[in-house]
Amino acid sequence: MEKQRIFSGIQPSGNLTLGNYLGALRNWVSLQDEYECIYSIVDMHAITIRQNPKDLHERSLLTMALYLAAGLDPEKNTVFMQSHVLEHAQLGWILGCNSYMGELSRMTQYKDKSTRLGDSIPTGLFNYPVLMAADILLYNAHLVPVGDDQTQHLELTRDIAIRFNNAYGETFVVPKGYFNPFGARIYDLQMPQKLMSKSAENQQGVLFLLDDEKTLQRKISRSVTDSLGTISYNDNQPGVKNLLNIFALLRKESIDGALAYFEGKGYKQLKDGVMEAVLDTLLPLQEKVYELMKERDHLEDLMAQGAQKARSIAKVTLADVEKKIGFISRRTNEHCD
Ligand code: TYM
């Protein structure tokens, strides 16, 4: 039986966080044997907010190094830079012509950002979910492993796919989200009602994958708990709940197992336990990343090979879409090769 296909991506728009790792990256690694996996570094999404070019360049390489260091095998998976496969932009345009202002205006991520940016919100931020739909539909992915915050974008992708299929005939696989129930939401250590995010204004509650040991220790030891003093897993204790989640995920334990481990202990021991689990995971990861970053040329070679594999699928889908909407065939794809 043919393997089902998976697509997902991370923006190199900031330093990756423990949320990205537990909500996405680590799950991707566990899927690579069972599925045909395509993982992208979505640099075109990153530029929806103005980036410093040097930083974007560096972070794109670092993200590639992180993908590999986390255990993604570039032989087994297709790993590539989004901007290296021109079909993403082309399909993005076509899908943009098949989506509506109304549905895009309802995206909560857009609404949040537009409140902050007012009239100067770049149109790219508005169109961003259409490009995300193009990413997924180009590969006819069945499943999309993401954190919870992407649910609305996935719903939109499904709506656009169904709409296109209805208008032009069966073209796209309608994808489903794939969530790890606990990893799907990792919260900020200072504001445990808010998701941990690369773009948080206050970085004290955000564990970056490449934070040094002391910084990680400091951030965890200062994480917000509550005044109840008991370690239990419930919504009235969001800080403690989040720490338990992080511990359980990193130690590959159940929540009950984590609760048993901390039974009779206090918040100091909880934080120490989390600290140990974070350092045991991130320090070896960092070592691998810095090793890989010594071979930048090799990283770029791998990106190019990944793009070639990705394009071999993407161009077939795009040609089919273009034919269905009435474009004249290009006969050659030389401009893309
Ligand atoms: P991005 O770059 O914001 O995040 C990458 C992945 O990390 C997950 N994530 C989290 N999961 C749990 N807890 C958190 N605190 C947390 N923070 C981030 C996100 O849910 C995501 O899975 N639009 C996407 C990138 C994208 C994409 C795609 C994803 C572009 N095209 C196609 C899937 C398929 C984004 O901005 O993710």
Side-chain angles (χ1 to χ4, degrees):
M1 221 176 72
E2 269 198 25
K3 285 182 176 176
Q4 287 214 318
R5 193 177 281 159
I6 276 192
F7 182 94
S8 199
I10 298 183
Q11 296 190 48
S13 55
N15 296 318
L16 264 54
T17 71
L18 192 71
N20 296 130
Y21 181 72
L22 291 176
L25 196 47
R26 200 182 67 170
N27 302 331
W28 299 358
V29 176
S30 65
L31 298 169
Q32 61 187 345
D33 291 318
E34 206 180 325
Y35 295 93
E36 180 195 344
C37 299
I38 304 175
Y39 295 124
S40 185
I41 297 165
V42 289
D43 51 352
M44 287 158 66
H45 278 91
I47 61 165
T48 52
I49 297 274
R50 178 80 58 88
Q51 302 287 321
N52 172 311
K54 258 196 184 155
D55 290 349
L56 179 62
H57 190 271
E58 187 68 10
R59 280 204 223 99
S60 298
L61 286 168
L62 268 175
T63 308
M64 182 69 182
L66 269 165
Y67 278 17
L68 303 180
L72 285 185
D73 178 347
E75 296 287 327
K76 270 191 213 159
N77 306 280
T78 300
V79 182
F80 72 104
M81 297 300 302
Q82 183 187 31
S83 64
H84 290 181
V85 179
L86 307 185
E87 284 79 359
H88 287 251
Q90 289 169 293
L91 184 64
W93 177 258
I94 295 170
L95 297 183
C97 298
N98 287 278
S99 49
Y100 303 124
M101 298 283 288
E103 58 192 355
L104 294 181
S105 317
R106 283 194 290 276
M107 296 292 116
T108 48
Q109 272 197 358
Y110 166 74
K111 284 201 276 187
D112 289 350
K113 288 187 175 152
S114 56
T115 333
R116 269 190 275 143
L117 295 169
D119 271 354
S120 331
I121 187 159
T123 46
L125 261 183
F126 183 73
N127 292 326
Y128 158 118
V130 175
L131 183 59
M132 179 160 161
D135 297 340
I136 298 166
L137 300 182
L138 257 186
Y139 300 96
N140 281 310
H142 303 92
L143 293 173
V144 184
V146 281
D148 238 10
D149 60 313
Q150 298 298 321
T151 310
Q152 210 186 11
H153 293 157
L154 266 183
E155 270 311 307
L156 180 80
T157 302
R158 291 169 54 84
D159 289 347
I160 293 176
I162 292 168
R163 183 177 305 143
F164 193 96
N165 288 348
N166 287 340
Y168 297 102
E170 222 37 54
T171 308
F172 296 123
V173 168
V174 181
K176 291 199 184 97
Y178 184 103
F179 304 96
N180 176 333
F182 301 110
R185 278 179 180 266
I186 301 298
Y187 292 93
D188 189 287
L189 300 185
Q190 287 297 315
M191 282 182 285
Q193 321 67 14
K194 269 192 57 186
L195 278 191
M196 186 179 281
S197 158
K198 331 182 181 85
S199 54
E201 269 166 40
N202 174 5
Q203 304 198 334
Q204 292 317 305
V206 182
L207 298 176
F208 292 107
L209 298 182
L210 300 178
D211 271 344
D212 63 34
E213 188 171 347
K214 283 220 169 83
T215 308
L216 291 168
Q217 284 168 332
R218 192 190 62 241
K219 287 178 177 176
I220 296 167
S221 67
R222 293 188 187 161
S223 55
V224 165
T225 48
D226 52 59
S227 55
L228 296 176
T230 50
I231 299 179
S232 57
Y233 191 77
N234 67 69
D235 290 336
N236 297 327
Q237 296 180 266
V240 171
K241 183 175 174 184
N242 191 36
L243 289 174
L244 282 168
N245 260 340
I246 293 174
F247 177 87
L249 284 164
L250 289 174
R251 289 289 187 221
K252 300 199 166 104
E253 273 274 3
S254 63
I255 296 297
D256 283 343
L259 283 169
Y261 181 84
F262 290 112
E263 201 181 331
K265 297 186 178 149
Y267 290 167
K268 162 91 174 62
Q269 282 117 319
L270 173 63
K271 289 180 183 178
D272 285 349
V274 171
M275 211 179 281
E276 227 179 298
V278 167
L279 295 179
D280 282 353
T281 307
L282 295 193
L283 297 185
L285 185 78
Q286 294 180 358
E287 210 172 301
K288 284 189 204 145
V289 168
Y290 295 129
E291 208 41 52
L292 286 160
M293 284 299 281
K294 291 184 191 154
E295 311 258 355
R296 287 161 183 254
D297 232 32
H298 178 57
L299 290 177
E300 288 197 38
D301 275 349
L302 291 177
M303 286 173 173
Q305 287 162 24
Q308 210 169 4
K309 281 201 265 174
R311 192 183 294 149
S312 69
I313 303 171
K315 70 183 181 192
V316 175
T317 311
L318 184 71
D320 180 36
V321 167
E322 291 186 333
K323 187 168 173 209
K324 287 198 166 114
I325 63 173
F327 282 6
I328 291 179
S329 153
R330 270 190 290 283
R331 300 215 172 166
T332 158
N333 254 330
E334 267 166 23
H335 70 290
C336 301
D337 292 329

